[in-house]
Amino acid sequence: MYTGKESVDVSDLGVGADFVLRLARGIPKHKNYKLFFDNWFSSLKGCALESDSKLKARGRGSYDWRVETQSNTIVVKWYDSKPVHLISTYAALDPEDTCRRWDGKRKEYGDVKRPYCVKEYNRFMGGVDLADMLLELYRIDFKSRSKWYMRIFFFLFDLSVVNGWLLCRRCPRKPMNLLQFKTDVARALLSGASLATPKRGRPLSDADTNSQKKRNYTCRPPDSTRLDGQGHFPAWIESTQRFRVCVQAHSKVKCVKCEVSLCFTPNRNCFLTYHTM
């Protein structure tokens, strides 16, 4: 099968497994590397395990298993709050241990028995499941009747924002959660576009305009804009405004990019402080 850049060998395992095998070719051999991936990329046909109802009747933490001796592969079905299937070529049942789980009936935490392969999966699987979990936290909402390509666009946009947040966490700046990061991204995108739309109907007279005048409020720019070090120049304004840093004073100097008034005097330089701290 040809994907445009690389060819992927086709096998009886399916498309997902073929891509995993193709990507695994670059891993050095005989170095005891172990791969972890979710069940979308794995399958084992013709393996009959105990039914969900029987495992549930035996209680939380019960499991059933089968071993394929030719390839030394074990298949485990473990019942937690719901059935969990695992396939492993190196981790089996022993050594068994327990994990803490919330009991909804008793309203308390309790110990649940688990096989060794489940422990290993939970230990190393976070990187694969983490992306899906972060996408679901603040996914962009859209109408179900939207065009099919809009789903792809919103998915790629959400994925880009999540990856950007993960990279931002590596910086030594003040940490922020994913919601704050997405809010800053939205503000930064909106600050570069004009949202003014022409209104229909008769133009307002001067009297109507004066009667509808309201105080204008300037939203605080996101930290990604405030600290980017680009395009922050001082400008002189006619009306005196309160400082954003020195709240007890007023200034006629503002930042042309952030649209906030900041002092710039021989005694203090809040303009520099605001854009660097």
Side-chain angles (χ1 to χ4, degrees), residues 138-151:
Y138 309 106
R139 185 181 292 276
I140 297 177
D141 188 19
F142 56 90
K143 296 181 179 180
S144 59
R145 296 183 179 180
S146 301
K147 298 294 185 180
W148 62 269
Y149 51 81
M150 294 303 297
R151 294 178 178 271

Side-chain angles (χ1 to χ4, degrees), residues 5 25 41 60 76 81 98 114-115 127 136 141 154 191 199 205 210 213 240 248 250-251 257:
K5 293 184 179 180
R25 291 179 182 176
F41 297 98
R60 197 171 185 179
V76 179
S81 57
T98 58
R114 66 176 176 179
E136 289 296 332
D141 188 19
F154 286 134
S191 64
K199 297 183 178 180
S205 61
N210 294 331
K213 281 185 177 180
T240 303
Q248 301 298 329
H250 293 76
S251 174
K257 184 174 182 178

